[in-house]
């Protein structure tokens, strides 16, 4: 570390890492909060992040009250970002981050160390791959994550295959099943390990049912065949209640392409490097209601914090993180007088933030463990029920509940459960 | 004999389940005020109208990408600016797939007017500048 001190260090009030929807909204909010010295670092050559390849519509219904495509949604934020003259480094990758908020940035021919008063982590997430779910078999070409195929088709004009199976019913997999069908491929089927779909109901309808693409639940890929170099087909089998394949149900499905839509992983290498405490369920940092991690001055928002299903909520959350990061840069660390832990109870997989001060209203984000109808989400502060909301429960859909400071203050533990 | 049918509304990510009742001719049953006879689970006002449309002639939006010559990106993303009949999607895609464009292209440019005779335009959803 000592050699790093010899390299000139640039001072910045706020550095935002990542120029996707989270980073854009956060940087704009920092500027709007009156903090002018903000720099956004983006590794791609353009801003917008993954939205650029999400050409389907349905983005922005909450924020803009219209159904925009991903690139249009990004363009609205990029326009605001440019109008505010916010500094940006494109084609720049952050190599390291210390707990003292020194950001090591590599650009073509140049390595820079930036000392930030506050850092906003907005690196997004990446896809789980074949390796992450350990599918045995040959290693032919033709096995793609759904997002990689989406990038190749929508941005690079490369058609990835003609006869397609999809493993995993996450939204990207469903969207890609439709996209490949529209481009003339035959999508044989979507296979989902779980007994329910992990994608939004509207995508089951408009991406699968509309095109007669079958969805097989409680089914997984057990083998990949393609000794010749290209995928020749996959073996699939139903699984039992312990998700173990049932050998007698195994069958071979010929195909030249397998798309994997088997989950997203928040991209938190820098977060860990800085020493932030992590939540093993979300895969992101543990934050309070200002979106600050356990490392003072380091904030986290968007898909790097927890994977969202709607970009609108990424933007809303990131605006909050930006606002609080700007205040931190200006005023420094102010410990909250009280710290109320928020814990997931029965039927709740996780809640976020993991702790609150009780001094402000806040939005509680959560996901449930299993689908259900006519159930309620209940928030308790100590033994007292402070919030009850009737919602349709689906693990694919993030639930957001506003909790007022009038009921949040006092107590030292909150629990959220399904009843 | 009427039959019940469950629809998944695709207008927004809520994806409401709308239950409708159809008569023996497949026509949707409505009450005296023109509201769906059943189907009270809908989160918004558009559900009734959407369900009627879905039974009579389902409408969808689609998106695609078109190659661009001499642009700072290889492709431009496009979409329908109004829903088109589900039955027309492949006819519209055929027209989109024949296209190649030249930069510059500006967001909201009409790329194809009324494809396959549909009351919609295919519009650009991003800017593509000339390669420079």
């Amino acid at each position: 570390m000592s050699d790093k001190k010899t390299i000139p260090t640039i001072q910045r009030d706020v550095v935002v890492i990542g120029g996707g929807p989270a980073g854009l909204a956060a940087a704009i909010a920092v500027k709007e909060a009156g903090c002018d010295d903000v720099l956004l670092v983006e590794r791609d050559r353009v801003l917008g992040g993954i939205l650029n390849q999400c050409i389907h519509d349905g983005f922005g219904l909450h924020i803009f009250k219209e159904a925009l495509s991903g690139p249009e949604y990004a363009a609205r934020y990029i326009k605001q970002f440019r109008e505010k003259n916010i500094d940006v480094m494109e084609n720049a990758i952050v190599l390291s981050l210390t707990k003292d908020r020194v950001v090591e940035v590599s650009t073509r021919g140049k390595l820079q160390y930036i000392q930030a008063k506050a850092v906003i982590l907005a690196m997004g997430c990446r896809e789980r791959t074949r390796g992450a779910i350990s599918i045995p078999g040959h290693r032919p070409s033709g096995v793609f994550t759904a997002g990689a195929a989406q990038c190749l088709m929508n941005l690079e004009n490369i058609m990835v295959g003609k006869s397609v199976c999809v493993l995993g019913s996450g939204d990207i997999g469903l969207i890609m099943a439709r996209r490949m069908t529209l481009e003339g491929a035959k999508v044989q089927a979507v296979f989902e390990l779980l007994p329910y779909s992990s994608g939004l109901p509207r995508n089951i309808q408009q991406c699968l049912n509309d095109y007669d693409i079958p969805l097989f639940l409680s089914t997984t890929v057990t083998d990949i065949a393609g000794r010749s170099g290209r995928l020749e087909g996959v073996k699939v089998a139903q699984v039992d209640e312990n998700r173990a394949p049932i050998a007698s149900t195994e069958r071979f499905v010929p195909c030249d392409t397998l798309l994997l839509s088997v989950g997203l992983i928040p991209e938190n290498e820098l977060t860990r490097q800085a020493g932030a405490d992590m939540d093993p369920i979300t895969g992101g940092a543990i934050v309070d209601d200002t979106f600050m991690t356990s490392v003072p001055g380091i904030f986290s928002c968007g898909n790097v914090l927890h994977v969202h299903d709607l970009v609108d909520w990424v933007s809303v959350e990131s605006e909050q993180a930006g606002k609080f990061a700007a205040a931190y840069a200006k005023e420094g660390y102010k410990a909250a007088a009280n710290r109320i832990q928020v814990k997931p109870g029965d039927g709740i997989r996780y809640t976020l933030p993991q702790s609150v001060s009780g001094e402000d209203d806040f939005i509680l984000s959560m996901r449930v463990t299993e689908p259900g109808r006519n159930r309620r989400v209940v928030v308790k502060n100590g033994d007292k029920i402070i919030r009850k909301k009737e919602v349709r429960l689906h693990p694919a859909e993030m639930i957001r509940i506003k909790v007022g400071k009038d009921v949040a203050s006092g107590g030292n533990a909150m629990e959220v459960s399904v009843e | 004999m009427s039959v019940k049918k469950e629809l998944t509304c695709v207008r927004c990510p809520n994806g409401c389940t709308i239950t409708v009742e159809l008569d023996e001719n497949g026509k949707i049953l409505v009450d005296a005020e023109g509201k769906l006879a059943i189907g009270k689970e809908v989160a918004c006002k558009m559900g009734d109208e959407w369900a009627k449309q879905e039974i009579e002639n389902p409408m969808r939006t689609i998106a695609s990408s078109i190659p661009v010559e001499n642009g700072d990106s290889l492709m431009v993303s496009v979409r329908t600016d109004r829903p088109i009949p589900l039955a027309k999607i492949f006819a519209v895609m055929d027209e989109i797939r024949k296209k190649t464009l030249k930069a510059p292209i500006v967001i909201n440019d009409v790329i194809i007017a009324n494809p396959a005779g549909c009351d919609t335009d295919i519009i650009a959803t991003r800017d593509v500048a000339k390669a420079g």
Side-chain angles (χ1 to χ4, degrees), chain A residues 32-44:
Chain A
E32 277 177 352
C35 177
D36 287 332
D37 188 20
V38 50
L39 168 71
L40 185 144
V41 184
E42 165 57 41
R43 69 180 164 192
D44 204 345

Side-chain angles (χ1 to χ4, degrees), chain A residues 45-46 52 55-58 61-62 66-69 71-72 75 152-158 178-179 181-184 200-202 205-206 210-211 310 373 392 397, chain B residues 6 8-17 41 50 54 60-65 67 72-75 77-80 86 89-90 93 97 107-108 123-126:
Chain A
R45 68 181 176 84
V46 289
N52 289 323
I55 62 169
H56 54 282
D57 69 5
L61 282 155
H62 292 279
E66 43 182 321
L68 303 170
S69 66
E72 290 169 286
L152 290 168
M153 286 182 70
N154 293 347
L155 299 179
E156 310 284 337
N157 202 17
I158 296 167
R178 172 177 63 182
R179 183 80 188 99
T181 304
L182 291 180
E183 291 292 347
L200 295 173
R202 76 192 289 248
Q205 178 59 43
Q206 64 185 357
D210 279 358
Y211 301 96
L310 295 183
R373 278 187 184 185
R392 182 182 57 184
E397 296 173 32
Chain B
E6 275 200 353
T8 304
C9 182
V10 300
R11 286 197 67 153
C12 89
N14 282 334
C16 294
T17 304
E41 286 175 59
W50 184 85
E54 184 70 2
R60 295 289 186 269
T61 56
I62 55 163
S64 189
S65 275
D72 66 350
S73 300
L74 289 172
M75 307 193 85
S77 50
V78 298
R79 68 173 169 93
T80 47
L86 179 59
I89 283 180
F90 284 99
M93 274 306 296
R97 290 173 65 190
I107 196 164
N108 279 330
I123 57 167
T125 56
R126 65 176 295 173

Side-chain angles (χ1 to χ4, degrees), chain B residues 17-82:
Chain B
T17 304
I18 306 178
T19 311
V20 296
E21 208 167 350
L22 306 177
D23 68 13
E24 55 273 23
N25 302 318
K27 276 204 74 165
I28 194 162
L29 293 173
V30 292
D31 65 17
E33 289 163 5
K35 297 234 168 66
L36 298 184
I38 50 173
K40 305 297 178 200
E41 286 175 59
V42 193
C44 80
K45 294 177 214 152
M46 296 183 289
D48 271 32
E49 177 203 324
W50 184 85
K52 285 178 212 160
Q53 182 75 58
E54 184 70 2
I55 294 298
E56 283 159 19
N57 180 22
M59 303 289 279
R60 295 289 186 269
T61 56
I62 55 163
S64 189
S65 275
I66 298 177
V68 179
E69 288 172 13
N70 197 30
D72 66 350
S73 300
L74 289 172
M75 307 193 85
V76 62
S77 50
V78 298
R79 68 173 169 93
T80 47
D81 72 345
R82 275 153 291 166

Side-chain angles (χ1 to χ4, degrees), chain A residues 91-343:
Chain A
N91 292 310
I93 187 140
V94 175
L95 297 178
S96 73
L97 173 66
T98 71
K99 65 175 177 17
D100 304 315
R101 301 174 309 281
V102 176
V103 189
E104 181 187 10
V105 187
S106 169
T107 52
R108 189 171 286 259
K110 202 169 169 189
L111 196 58
Q112 296 173 67
Y113 292 86
I114 305 170
Q115 173 68 60
K117 288 184 184 162
V119 171
I120 301 174
L121 305 171
M123 296 89 80
C125 58
R126 58 170 172 253
E127 296 177 281
R128 293 175 79 204
T129 61
R130 176 180 177 184
I133 55 168
S134 308
I135 309 173
H138 301 145
R139 307 195 66 83
S141 66
V143 181
F144 299 89
T145 58
Q150 186 180 48
C151 174
L152 290 168
M153 286 182 70
N154 293 347
L155 299 179
E156 310 284 337
N157 202 17
I158 296 167
M159 182 68 176
V160 297
K162 293 195 180 88
S163 172
V164 186
C165 285
V166 182
L167 175 61
S169 58
D171 287 312
I172 317 166
L174 303 178
I175 297 277
M176 281 309 294
R178 172 177 63 182
R179 183 80 188 99
M180 295 207 65
T181 304
L182 291 180
E183 291 292 347
K186 168 72 184 164
V187 178
Q188 310 290 349
V190 177
F191 305 103
E192 169 60 56
L193 177 70
L194 299 173
Y196 49 84
S197 160
S198 40
L200 295 173
R202 76 192 289 248
N203 284 335
I204 301 290
Q205 178 59 43
Q206 64 185 357
C207 298
L208 301 187
N209 298 351
D210 279 358
Y211 301 96
D212 297 318
I213 299 169
L215 168 63
F216 295 97
L217 299 173
S218 298
T219 302
T220 194
V221 171
T222 53
D223 198 13
I224 288 177
R227 207 184 286 277
S228 64
R230 179 73 192 195
L231 181 66
E232 288 154 17
V234 294
K235 274 187 191 161
V236 298
Q238 289 168 34
V239 297
D240 63 22
E241 62 275 19
N242 300 318
R243 300 184 194 172
I246 305 166
S248 61
T249 65
E250 198 169 66
R251 64 188 169 101
F252 185 75
V253 184
C255 58
D256 61 27
T257 303
L258 174 65
L259 300 186
L260 302 175
S261 178
V262 292
L264 300 166
I265 308 168
E267 204 157 337
N268 271 302
E269 284 71 15
L270 296 173
T271 321
R272 286 195 194 86
Q273 237 177 34
D277 292 339
M278 305 297 291
D279 182 326
I281 307 293
T282 59
I286 291 174
V287 292
D288 63 17
D289 50 338
T290 69
F291 295 95
M292 191 162 80
T293 66
S294 63
V295 182
I298 298 184
F299 296 76
S300 177
C301 56
N303 279 353
V304 77
L305 181 59
H306 58 143
V307 176
H308 293 62
D309 34 285
L310 295 183
V311 70
D312 297 59
W313 302 138
V314 168
S315 301
V316 169
E317 177 180 293
S318 303
E319 272 170 34
Q320 289 293 308
K323 187 184 89 181
F324 288 115
Y328 186 98
K330 209 189 256 175
E331 296 156 22
Y333 185 52
K334 279 198 211 151
N338 196 8
R339 194 112 310 279
I340 307 165
Q341 299 297 318
V342 186
K343 291 263 186 294

